[in-house]
Amino acid sequence: MSESNTVLTTRSTTGITIVTINRPRLRNAVDSPTARKLYDALRAFDADETQKVCILTGADGAFCAGFDLHTVSQSPHPAEPVGESPSIAPMGPSRLRLSKPLIAAVEGHAVAGGLELALLADIRTCSETAVFGVFCRRWGVPLIDGGTVRLPHIVGFGRAMDMILTGRAVDAQEALAMGLANRVVPKGQALAEAIELAEELLRWPQKCLRADRESAYYAAFDAGTFREAMQNEFVEGSKVVQAESVHGAARFSGGAARSAGVWQTLDVSQRQRVIIMFRSQ
């Protein structure tokens, strides 16, 4: 395998980018050059306004077995100290917070640094073959790609401690039960499920979708208080009203959602007041 194609990127005309870790001989373990390519690929996606949703996956039935420990003494590490700007991490993009949705399509092992890459995603679609775990526990390698930061937010502190301290394997069904996996599908179908989900996300007004997504991240990781999170949600959400909500409300009023029972219970004057409320924002 040529080391020049360890990360493959495809972009669709509809706005879906697929980034594939392509080192199947090593279950897609990431070395330093691959980390740099992953980082660059996700930064490029985030900067490309023609692309709306990204899917991160691995080649040939594995997601990622973590950092390639065979190369630690052989190649310089690209990682930089954590700073204000988005800096590259040992696994590449794991310190990033993208502005658009990221889905991880997981087949096989997503362990150690591979688990941390999966945690970078907003949603994880997994096949029944998926295995998650802090396997680096057995080699004395710490989680330094966001695992101790993101995992407790996704599965809860107690479950995160169970995974972090024991280093045990978590299969697809247990991952689904704890919220680590969002969908579980048959072997070989994780990417297809992720594409279907991405296509669903493309259906929605994108400014609103991104604003709600960013508000959730702000509340989870940035806000110092509940009041601060609530204020941010309102201020940032209000910016979307003129851009998308007025048009959406007009479509709703025009009958685009005739199956919405609540709307049908309103008389004409009540419906007009709803539209006026949106337009006055």
Side-chain angles (χ1 to χ4, degrees), residues 2-252:
S2 169
E3 288 298 300
S4 65
N5 64 350
T6 58
V7 173
L8 307 176
T9 301
T10 61
R11 299 174 181 85
S12 75
T13 56
T14 59
I16 299 173
T17 293
I18 301 175
V19 175
T20 304
I21 308 169
N22 186 39
R23 302 185 83 213
R25 180 174 56 85
L26 298 169
R27 290 193 296 183
N28 300 317
V30 170
D31 61 359
S32 294
T34 304
R36 169 61 70 179
K37 291 174 184 176
L38 280 173
Y39 176 83
D40 291 342
L42 291 193
R43 290 290 303 274
F45 157 75
D46 214 35
D48 186 348
E49 275 304 311
T50 70
Q51 298 299 293
K52 312 301 183 185
V53 183
C54 184
I55 299 170
L56 178 62
T57 192
D60 291 358
F63 183 75
C64 175
F67 196 81
D68 183 359
L69 297 180
H70 297 291
T71 69
V72 169
S73 63
Q74 301 169 9
S75 61
H77 213 287
E80 302 164 356
V82 178
E84 293 298 321
S85 61
S87 56
I88 188 169
M91 292 294 295
S94 53
R95 292 177 189 158
L96 298 180
R97 189 159 105 191
L98 302 181
S99 65
K100 296 177 282 190
L102 175 65
I103 301 169
V106 180
E107 299 273 352
H109 283 74
V111 298
L115 168 64
E116 293 177 293
L117 285 180
L119 297 176
L120 176 62
D122 304 301
I123 300 173
R124 282 155 292 281
T125 66
C126 306
S127 88
E128 59 194 6
T129 69
V131 176
F132 299 92
V134 185
F135 283 16
C136 48
R137 176 65 54 241
R138 63 193 66 176
W139 311 118
V141 177
L143 296 170
I144 54 175
D145 279 85
T148 64
V149 178
R150 289 192 174 95
L151 187 61
H153 280 278
I154 294 170
V155 303
F157 190 79
R159 289 190 175 101
M161 285 296 100
D162 181 7
M163 291 184 66
I164 291 169
L165 297 181
T166 68
R168 68 182 181 85
V170 172
D171 66 19
Q173 289 302 321
E174 184 179 1
L176 181 65
M178 68 169 63
L180 181 54
N182 299 95
R183 312 275 196 281
V184 173
V185 294
K187 178 180 179 180
Q189 295 301 307
L191 180 57
E193 180 72 10
I195 293 172
E196 184 175 337
L197 178 57
E199 290 171 345
E200 180 180 342
L201 298 187
L202 292 179
R203 295 170 49 198
W204 309 127
Q206 293 297 299
K207 288 184 176 65
C208 181
L209 181 146
R210 292 183 198 176
D212 286 347
R213 176 185 178 276
E214 179 57 27
S215 179
Y217 272 98
Y218 183 87
F221 295 104
D222 297 336
T225 65
F226 174 76
R227 179 184 177 87
E228 187 179 340
M230 293 293 284
Q231 181 181 25
N232 177 77
E233 179 190 63
F234 179 78
V235 169
E236 296 302 318
S238 295
K239 296 176 183 178
V240 177
V241 172
Q242 285 298 328
E244 286 185 343
S245 304
V246 171
H247 175 67
R251 288 177 53 243
F252 188 77

